[in-house]
Amino acid sequence: DVSASKRGGGTIPRWQIDAILSDDQDFETQRAMLCAAADIWLYERDDGKLGFKVGRWIEPDISLTDRDFFSLEYVQGQTGSSAPNRMAVRYVEPANDWKESVTADVMKDPDGRDTREEPEIYAITEHNQAYRMARRLLAVRQPEGRLRGTVGFIGYWLRKRRFWKIVHS
């Protein structure tokens, strides 16, 4: 993990998860809690176990071209009207006697219909990380387009990769 600067000086780990997982929680609840806190991407390893990568950009090392696709569909813009244009994350702040805190709003398309979401991500205990997650969540909820396709055997090599390039006519 790399360090992130704090407003008052000093550094903290960029990604930190502060949560308690128990046997009475189902796997989906645990997965959602962990993934939301640190932008975790899960994948199945070759040995059948679970692997994960924590939220960061990884330069793609695979490019898909026309010959890799059996079918490909791209839809420009966003579908539906319920996507928010403002996002803030509610989290617990240890420095504030473990009280709930809310990040400032991250805004996209301020001239559009004003819709705000405020997800509760209680496995985050640092404002810096909560604000970064608000930016990422808003980007996911307001996509520029949607891509759907079927690939051949190269899909096997895509399983462990979060990012790849598409060069298609």
Side-chain angles (χ1 to χ4, degrees):
D1 192 12
V2 296
S3 296
S5 298
K6 291 176 69 171
R7 181 176 61 180
T11 61
I12 56 168
R14 181 169 294 275
W15 299 107
Q16 185 170 308
I17 301 171
D18 295 315
I20 296 173
L21 303 177
S22 63
D23 291 341
D24 63 338
Q25 296 171 319
D26 61 74
F27 174 74
E28 185 57 29
T29 301
Q30 293 176 347
R31 184 205 63 79
M33 183 188 313
L34 296 173
C35 290
D39 194 21
I40 292 176
W41 177 71
L42 300 169
Y43 61 90
E44 185 178 344
R45 298 184 337 196
D46 293 335
D47 60 4
K49 295 181 180 177
L50 191 67
F52 69 93
K53 300 200 187 271
V54 177
R56 68 180 176 94
W57 168 255
I58 300 169
E59 184 66 33
D61 60 351
I62 289 185
S63 293
L64 302 176
T65 62
D66 294 29
R67 67 174 188 237
D68 295 315
F69 287 94
F70 294 129
S71 67
L72 184 64
E73 173 190 14
Y74 177 70
V75 178
Q76 181 77 28
Q78 173 187 319
T79 59
S81 61
S82 64
N85 68 339
R86 293 187 305 142
M87 180 76 66
V89 168
R90 182 174 294 275
Y91 67 104
V92 177
E93 181 72 58
N96 191 20
D97 296 327
W98 294 94
K99 294 178 184 170
E100 288 185 11
S101 299
V102 180
T103 65
D105 286 359
V106 177
M107 185 172 279
K108 184 176 181 181
D109 187 25
D111 299 328
R113 194 175 119 239
D114 190 23
T115 310
R116 183 177 188 267
E117 280 190 11
E118 190 177 288
E120 297 171 343
I121 308 179
Y122 294 124
I124 295 176
T125 57
E126 166 49 40
H127 183 271
N128 187 314
Q129 183 173 340
Y131 190 77
R132 277 187 276 117
M133 285 309 305
R135 283 194 338 242
R136 289 173 186 261
L137 290 170
L138 185 60
V140 168
R141 296 281 285 131
Q142 285 234 348
E144 294 178 15
R146 193 174 62 200
L147 187 67
R148 183 185 335 194
T150 305
V151 296
F153 186 69
I154 197 167
Y156 176 79
W157 301 107
L158 299 177
R159 289 187 315 154
K160 294 183 201 173
R161 289 166 176 83
R162 186 173 189 176
F163 303 103
W164 57 84
K165 291 181 188 176
I166 297 177
V167 182
H168 197 282
S169 60

